[in-house]
Amino acid sequence: MSDLLSGGCLCGEVQFELKSEFKTFYQCHCKQCQKLTGSAFASNLFTSIENINWIKGIDSISHFEDKEREFSKSFCRHCGSALPFINKRNTSLIVPAGSLDSKIGTQLQANIFVAEKASWSKDECNAKDFDGFPS
Ligand SMILES: [Zn+2]
Ligand SMILES: [Zn+2]
């Protein structure tokens, strides 16, 4: 039996749980993920499409899907938080790692699309770690 992880959006409207059974864990640095997250990269866990139990708020989920290419995002329409979604090819459930409330044991497998890395995130590996804001 694998652990049950819980997750949800920031405002609490949407909540879900899923089993800790991940195929892979990528940090994607592509330009589209920068736009979708407003940040340097997207941290996404991949699991099987049936591995999700929506506890509440399914009506509060909005979905964006690019018409031509494989970029999509599900998000809470109240607070905009990223939420799990099934990819266009219907092969995986993509879980934004930050949407989970539980700690996960899965280690990051790869940084992908690093060629498109934001110029300002170049030295992230050499940066010091802080638990909160630097004091
Ligand atoms: Zn929300
Ligand atoms: Zn990407």
Side-chain angles (χ1 to χ4, degrees):
M1 275 276 294
S2 14
D3 294 340
L4 211 52
L5 307 173
S6 59
C9 67
L10 181 65
C11 77
E13 279 296 315
V14 184
Q15 280 175 16
F16 62 86
E17 57 186 15
L18 47 79
K19 282 175 278 185
S20 183
E21 287 171 2
F22 299 110
K23 298 187 249 186
T24 190
F25 186 10
Y26 289 149
Q27 242 166 212
C28 184
H29 296 257
C30 82
K31 190 66 199 160
Q32 290 74 23
C33 286
Q34 290 175 37
K35 286 282 183 193
L36 288 174
T37 61
S39 191
F41 48 79
S43 304
N44 288 323
L45 292 147
F46 290 64
T47 186
S48 56
I49 55 173
E50 67 278 4
N51 181 20
I52 187 137
N53 175 30
W54 295 100
I55 294 167
K56 63 176 232 174
I58 204 156
D59 296 338
S60 297
I61 302 172
S62 289
H63 188 74
F64 163 77
E65 188 142 310
D66 189 275
K67 285 185 178 64
E68 282 129 47
R69 300 169 66 189
E70 200 175 321
F71 300 117
S72 36
K73 180 180 180 173
S74 280
F75 53 97
C76 169
R77 63 185 170 84
H78 304 288
C79 69
S81 299
L83 293 164
F85 63 93
I86 293 168
N87 64 355
K88 215 173 189 174
R89 286 176 295 159
N90 226 39
T91 51
S92 295
L93 179 83
I94 299 176
V95 184
S99 71
L100 293 169
D101 296 313
S102 307
K103 279 193 175 171
I104 55 164
T106 311
Q107 295 297 311
L108 183 70
Q109 211 156 70
N111 282 296
I112 62 172
F113 292 94
V114 287
E116 295 177 36
K117 219 173 192 181
S119 58
W120 44 270
S121 87
K122 250 179 204 157
D123 300 322
E124 73 185 47
C125 296
N126 303 325
K128 273 172 104 174
D129 295 332
F130 291 94
D131 288 335
F133 286 113
S135 45

PDB file of all heavy atoms in Angstrom, residues 21-43:
ATOM      1  N   GLU A  21       2.428   7.293  -5.862  1.00  0.00           N
ATOM      2  CA  GLU A  21       2.944   6.383  -6.895  1.00  0.00           C
ATOM      3  C   GLU A  21       3.272   7.216  -8.114  1.00  0.00           C
ATOM      4  O   GLU A  21       2.405   7.452  -8.953  1.00  0.00           O
ATOM      5  CB  GLU A  21       1.866   5.351  -7.278  1.00  0.00           C
ATOM      6  CG  GLU A  21       1.628   4.306  -6.217  1.00  0.00           C
ATOM      7  CD  GLU A  21       0.411   3.430  -6.503  1.00  0.00           C
ATOM      8  OE1 GLU A  21      -0.237   3.599  -7.554  1.00  0.00           O
ATOM      9  OE2 GLU A  21       0.110   2.585  -5.637  1.00  0.00           O
ATOM     10  N   PHE A  22       4.516   7.679  -8.178  1.00  0.00           N
ATOM     11  CA  PHE A  22       4.871   8.578  -9.267  1.00  0.00           C
ATOM     12  C   PHE A  22       5.811   7.924 -10.265  1.00  0.00           C
ATOM     13  O   PHE A  22       6.708   7.194  -9.894  1.00  0.00           O
ATOM     14  CB  PHE A  22       5.492   9.861  -8.712  1.00  0.00           C
ATOM     15  CG  PHE A  22       4.546  10.611  -7.812  1.00  0.00           C
ATOM     16  CD1 PHE A  22       4.780  10.683  -6.445  1.00  0.00           C
ATOM     17  CD2 PHE A  22       3.406  11.209  -8.327  1.00  0.00           C
ATOM     18  CE1 PHE A  22       3.904  11.367  -5.607  1.00  0.00           C
ATOM     19  CE2 PHE A  22       2.516  11.891  -7.499  1.00  0.00           C
ATOM     20  CZ  PHE A  22       2.771  11.971  -6.132  1.00  0.00           C
ATOM     21  N   LYS A  23       5.550   8.214 -11.547  1.00  0.00           N
ATOM     22  CA  LYS A  23       6.387   7.672 -12.616  1.00  0.00           C
ATOM     23  C   LYS A  23       7.662   8.483 -12.739  1.00  0.00           C
ATOM     24  O   LYS A  23       8.735   7.958 -12.988  1.00  0.00           O
ATOM     25  CB  LYS A  23       5.646   7.727 -13.958  1.00  0.00           C
ATOM     26  CG  LYS A  23       4.369   6.895 -13.999  1.00  0.00           C
ATOM     27  CD  LYS A  23       3.792   6.855 -15.413  1.00  0.00           C
ATOM     28  CE  LYS A  23       2.493   7.618 -15.485  1.00  0.00           C
ATOM     29  NZ  LYS A  23       1.810   7.500 -16.788  1.00  0.00           N
ATOM     30  N   THR A  24       7.501   9.783 -12.593  1.00  0.00           N
ATOM     31  CA  THR A  24       8.663  10.643 -12.735  1.00  0.00           C
ATOM     32  C   THR A  24       8.408  12.008 -12.099  1.00  0.00           C
ATOM     33  O   THR A  24       7.274  12.316 -11.713  1.00  0.00           O
ATOM     34  CB  THR A  24       9.069  10.764 -14.225  1.00  0.00           C
ATOM     35  OG1 THR A  24      10.325  11.409 -14.303  1.00  0.00           O
ATOM     36  CG2 THR A  24       8.053  11.538 -15.027  1.00  0.00           C
ATOM     37  N   PHE A  25       9.457  12.776 -11.957  1.00  0.00           N
ATOM     38  CA  PHE A  25       9.366  14.102 -11.335  1.00  0.00           C
ATOM     39  C   PHE A  25      10.328  15.034 -12.066  1.00  0.00           C
ATOM     40  O   PHE A  25      11.535  14.861 -11.993  1.00  0.00           O
ATOM     41  CB  PHE A  25       9.755  13.982  -9.852  1.00  0.00           C
ATOM     42  CG  PHE A  25       9.576  15.245  -9.034  1.00  0.00           C
ATOM     43  CD1 PHE A  25       8.905  16.357  -9.531  1.00  0.00           C
ATOM     44  CD2 PHE A  25      10.076  15.304  -7.739  1.00  0.00           C
ATOM     45  CE1 PHE A  25       8.740  17.501  -8.768  1.00  0.00           C
ATOM     46  CE2 PHE A  25       9.915  16.450  -6.959  1.00  0.00           C
ATOM     47  CZ  PHE A  25       9.245  17.554  -7.481  1.00  0.00           C
ATOM     48  N   TYR A  26       9.754  15.959 -12.819  1.00  0.00           N
ATOM     49  CA  TYR A  26      10.558  16.864 -13.630  1.00  0.00           C
ATOM     50  C   TYR A  26      10.384  18.304 -13.203  1.00  0.00           C
ATOM     51  O   TYR A  26       9.304  18.723 -12.827  1.00  0.00           O
ATOM     52  CB  TYR A  26      10.116  16.810 -15.099  1.00  0.00           C
ATOM     53  CG  TYR A  26      10.465  15.563 -15.833  1.00  0.00           C
ATOM     54  CD1 TYR A  26       9.636  15.100 -16.860  1.00  0.00           C
ATOM     55  CD2 TYR A  26      11.624  14.853 -15.542  1.00  0.00           C
ATOM     56  CE1 TYR A  26       9.942  13.949 -17.555  1.00  0.00           C
ATOM     57  CE2 TYR A  26      11.932  13.698 -16.240  1.00  0.00           C
ATOM     58  CZ  TYR A  26      11.092  13.247 -17.241  1.00  0.00           C
ATOM     59  OH  TYR A  26      11.396  12.118 -17.929  1.00  0.00           O
ATOM     60  N   GLN A  27      11.459  19.043 -13.349  1.00  0.00           N
ATOM     61  CA  GLN A  27      11.370  20.485 -13.245  1.00  0.00           C
ATOM     62  C   GLN A  27      11.556  21.017 -14.646  1.00  0.00           C
ATOM     63  O   GLN A  27      12.628  20.851 -15.241  1.00  0.00           O
ATOM     64  CB  GLN A  27      12.482  20.999 -12.317  1.00  0.00           C
ATOM     65  CG  GLN A  27      11.895  21.658 -11.125  1.00  0.00           C
ATOM     66  CD  GLN A  27      12.882  21.887 -10.013  1.00  0.00           C
ATOM     67  OE1 GLN A  27      12.492  21.843  -8.878  1.00  0.00           O
ATOM     68  NE2 GLN A  27      14.130  22.129 -10.315  1.00  0.00           N
ATOM     69  N   CYS A  28      10.507  21.621 -15.202  1.00  0.00           N
ATOM     70  CA  CYS A  28      10.581  22.079 -16.586  1.00  0.00           C
ATOM     71  C   CYS A  28      10.854  23.569 -16.642  1.00  0.00           C
ATOM     72  O   CYS A  28      10.116  24.374 -16.076  1.00  0.00           O
ATOM     73  CB  CYS A  28       9.285  21.752 -17.326  1.00  0.00           C
ATOM     74  SG  CYS A  28       9.400  22.192 -19.070  1.00  0.00           S
ATOM     75  N   HIS A  29      11.934  23.909 -17.362  1.00  0.00           N
ATOM     76  CA  HIS A  29      12.377  25.306 -17.449  1.00  0.00           C
ATOM     77  C   HIS A  29      11.938  25.973 -18.748  1.00  0.00           C
ATOM     78  O   HIS A  29      12.417  27.043 -19.082  1.00  0.00           O
ATOM     79  CB  HIS A  29      13.910  25.354 -17.354  1.00  0.00           C
ATOM     80  CG  HIS A  29      14.440  24.871 -16.045  1.00  0.00           C
ATOM     81  ND1 HIS A  29      14.879  25.716 -15.063  1.00  0.00           N
ATOM     82  CD2 HIS A  29      14.588  23.613 -15.550  1.00  0.00           C
ATOM     83  CE1 HIS A  29      15.288  25.007 -14.010  1.00  0.00           C
ATOM     84  NE2 HIS A  29      15.121  23.729 -14.289  1.00  0.00           N
ATOM     85  N   CYS A  30      11.045  25.339 -19.507  1.00  0.00           N
ATOM     86  CA  CYS A  30      10.686  25.903 -20.815  1.00  0.00           C
ATOM     87  C   CYS A  30       9.949  27.220 -20.666  1.00  0.00           C
ATOM     88  O   CYS A  30       9.396  27.535 -19.613  1.00  0.00           O
ATOM     89  CB  CYS A  30       9.875  24.901 -21.648  1.00  0.00           C
ATOM     90  SG  CYS A  30       8.112  24.850 -21.271  1.00  0.00           S
ATOM     91  N   LYS A  31       9.962  27.981 -21.750  1.00  0.00           N
ATOM     92  CA  LYS A  31       9.358  29.317 -21.749  1.00  0.00           C
ATOM     93  C   LYS A  31       7.872  29.248 -21.382  1.00  0.00           C
ATOM     94  O   LYS A  31       7.358  30.101 -20.660  1.00  0.00           O
ATOM     95  CB  LYS A  31       9.554  29.936 -23.142  1.00  0.00           C
ATOM     96  CG  LYS A  31       9.199  31.393 -23.222  1.00  0.00           C
ATOM     97  CD  LYS A  31      10.132  32.266 -22.375  1.00  0.00           C
ATOM     98  CE  LYS A  31       9.489  33.621 -22.103  1.00  0.00           C
ATOM     99  NZ  LYS A  31      10.082  34.310 -20.959  1.00  0.00           N
ATOM    100  N   GLN A  32       7.189  28.228 -21.884  1.00  0.00           N
ATOM    101  CA  GLN A  32       5.755  28.107 -21.615  1.00  0.00           C
ATOM    102  C   GLN A  32       5.506  27.863 -20.127  1.00  0.00           C
ATOM    103  O   GLN A  32       4.566  28.423 -19.551  1.00  0.00           O
ATOM    104  CB  GLN A  32       5.147  26.960 -22.445  1.00  0.00           C
ATOM    105  CG  GLN A  32       5.069  27.236 -23.934  1.00  0.00           C
ATOM    106  CD  GLN A  32       6.417  27.168 -24.637  1.00  0.00           C
ATOM    107  OE1 GLN A  32       7.353  26.526 -24.176  1.00  0.00           O
ATOM    108  NE2 GLN A  32       6.528  27.834 -25.775  1.00  0.00           N
ATOM    109  N   CYS A  33       6.323  27.033 -19.498  1.00  0.00           N
ATOM    110  CA  CYS A  33       6.148  26.788 -18.068  1.00  0.00           C
ATOM    111  C   CYS A  33       6.482  28.037 -17.263  1.00  0.00           C
ATOM    112  O   CYS A  33       5.888  28.276 -16.204  1.00  0.00           O
ATOM    113  CB  CYS A  33       6.994  25.595 -17.612  1.00  0.00           C
ATOM    114  SG  CYS A  33       6.297  24.021 -18.148  1.00  0.00           S
ATOM    115  N   GLN A  34       7.414  28.829 -17.765  1.00  0.00           N
ATOM    116  CA  GLN A  34       7.699  30.101 -17.080  1.00  0.00           C
ATOM    117  C   GLN A  34       6.454  30.992 -17.099  1.00  0.00           C
ATOM    118  O   GLN A  34       6.098  31.612 -16.106  1.00  0.00           O
ATOM    119  CB  GLN A  34       8.863  30.826 -17.757  1.00  0.00           C
ATOM    120  CG  GLN A  34      10.201  30.137 -17.541  1.00  0.00           C
ATOM    121  CD  GLN A  34      11.313  30.817 -18.319  1.00  0.00           C
ATOM    122  OE1 GLN A  34      11.354  32.033 -18.446  1.00  0.00           O
ATOM    123  NE2 GLN A  34      12.223  30.027 -18.859  1.00  0.00           N
ATOM    124  N   LYS A  35       5.792  31.040 -18.260  1.00  0.00           N
ATOM    125  CA  LYS A  35       4.569  31.846 -18.383  1.00  0.00           C
ATOM    126  C   LYS A  35       3.457  31.279 -17.486  1.00  0.00           C
ATOM    127  O   LYS A  35       2.783  32.016 -16.768  1.00  0.00           O
ATOM    128  CB  LYS A  35       4.078  31.839 -19.833  1.00  0.00           C
ATOM    129  CG  LYS A  35       4.900  32.675 -20.766  1.00  0.00           C
ATOM    130  CD  LYS A  35       4.586  34.149 -20.633  1.00  0.00           C
ATOM    131  CE  LYS A  35       5.366  34.982 -21.639  1.00  0.00           C
ATOM    132  NZ  LYS A  35       5.306  36.413 -21.305  1.00  0.00           N
ATOM    133  N   LEU A  36       3.274  29.972 -17.564  1.00  0.00           N
ATOM    134  CA  LEU A  36       2.169  29.348 -16.828  1.00  0.00           C
ATOM    135  C   LEU A  36       2.328  29.474 -15.318  1.00  0.00           C
ATOM    136  O   LEU A  36       1.347  29.564 -14.591  1.00  0.00           O
ATOM    137  CB  LEU A  36       2.038  27.860 -17.200  1.00  0.00           C
ATOM    138  CG  LEU A  36       1.490  27.544 -18.597  1.00  0.00           C
ATOM    139  CD1 LEU A  36       1.554  26.044 -18.861  1.00  0.00           C
ATOM    140  CD2 LEU A  36       0.060  28.031 -18.762  1.00  0.00           C
ATOM    141  N   THR A  37       3.574  29.473 -14.857  1.00  0.00           N
ATOM    142  CA  THR A  37       3.786  29.523 -13.410  1.00  0.00           C
ATOM    143  C   THR A  37       4.143  30.926 -12.934  1.00  0.00           C
ATOM    144  O   THR A  37       4.048  31.213 -11.738  1.00  0.00           O
ATOM    145  CB  THR A  37       4.941  28.593 -12.977  1.00  0.00           C
ATOM    146  OG1 THR A  37       6.136  29.026 -13.630  1.00  0.00           O
ATOM    147  CG2 THR A  37       4.661  27.152 -13.331  1.00  0.00           C
ATOM    148  N   GLY A  38       4.594  31.789 -13.861  1.00  0.00           N
ATOM    149  CA  GLY A  38       5.069  33.108 -13.465  1.00  0.00           C
ATOM    150  C   GLY A  38       6.379  33.006 -12.708  1.00  0.00           C
ATOM    151  O   GLY A  38       6.764  33.910 -11.971  1.00  0.00           O
ATOM    152  N   SER A  39       7.068  31.882 -12.891  1.00  0.00           N
ATOM    153  CA  SER A  39       8.283  31.642 -12.138  1.00  0.00           C
ATOM    154  C   SER A  39       9.346  30.996 -13.033  1.00  0.00           C
ATOM    155  O   SER A  39       9.173  30.898 -14.240  1.00  0.00           O
ATOM    156  CB  SER A  39       7.935  30.751 -10.941  1.00  0.00           C
ATOM    157  OG  SER A  39       9.023  30.706 -10.056  1.00  0.00           O
ATOM    158  N   ALA A  40      10.442  30.557 -12.432  1.00  0.00           N
ATOM    159  CA  ALA A  40      11.558  30.064 -13.232  1.00  0.00           C
ATOM    160  C   ALA A  40      11.308  28.695 -13.860  1.00  0.00           C
ATOM    161  O   ALA A  40      11.846  28.368 -14.905  1.00  0.00           O
ATOM    162  CB  ALA A  40      12.824  30.009 -12.381  1.00  0.00           C
ATOM    163  N   PHE A  41      10.497  27.886 -13.215  1.00  0.00           N
ATOM    164  CA  PHE A  41      10.245  26.551 -13.757  1.00  0.00           C
ATOM    165  C   PHE A  41       8.999  25.955 -13.123  1.00  0.00           C
ATOM    166  O   PHE A  41       8.498  26.462 -12.102  1.00  0.00           O
ATOM    167  CB  PHE A  41      11.429  25.599 -13.521  1.00  0.00           C
ATOM    168  CG  PHE A  41      11.938  25.611 -12.101  1.00  0.00           C
ATOM    169  CD1 PHE A  41      11.283  24.906 -11.108  1.00  0.00           C
ATOM    170  CD2 PHE A  41      13.079  26.335 -11.766  1.00  0.00           C
ATOM    171  CE1 PHE A  41      11.738  24.917  -9.804  1.00  0.00           C
ATOM    172  CE2 PHE A  41      13.558  26.359 -10.456  1.00  0.00           C
ATOM    173  CZ  PHE A  41      12.879  25.641  -9.476  1.00  0.00           C
ATOM    174  N   ALA A  42       8.490  24.885 -13.746  1.00  0.00           N
ATOM    175  CA  ALA A  42       7.349  24.157 -13.201  1.00  0.00           C
ATOM    176  C   ALA A  42       7.862  22.838 -12.637  1.00  0.00           C
ATOM    177  O   ALA A  42       8.648  22.146 -13.279  1.00  0.00           O
ATOM    178  CB  ALA A  42       6.329  23.889 -14.307  1.00  0.00           C
ATOM    179  N   SER A  43       7.438  22.494 -11.430  1.00  0.00           N
ATOM    180  CA  SER A  43       7.839  21.229 -10.815  1.00  0.00           C
ATOM    181  C   SER A  43       6.656  20.283 -10.892  1.00  0.00           C
ATOM    182  O   SER A  43       5.665  20.466 -10.183  1.00  0.00           O
ATOM    183  CB  SER A  43       8.222  21.451  -9.351  1.00  0.00           C
ATOM    184  OG  SER A  43       9.224  22.432  -9.257  1.00  0.00           O
TER     185      SER A  43
END
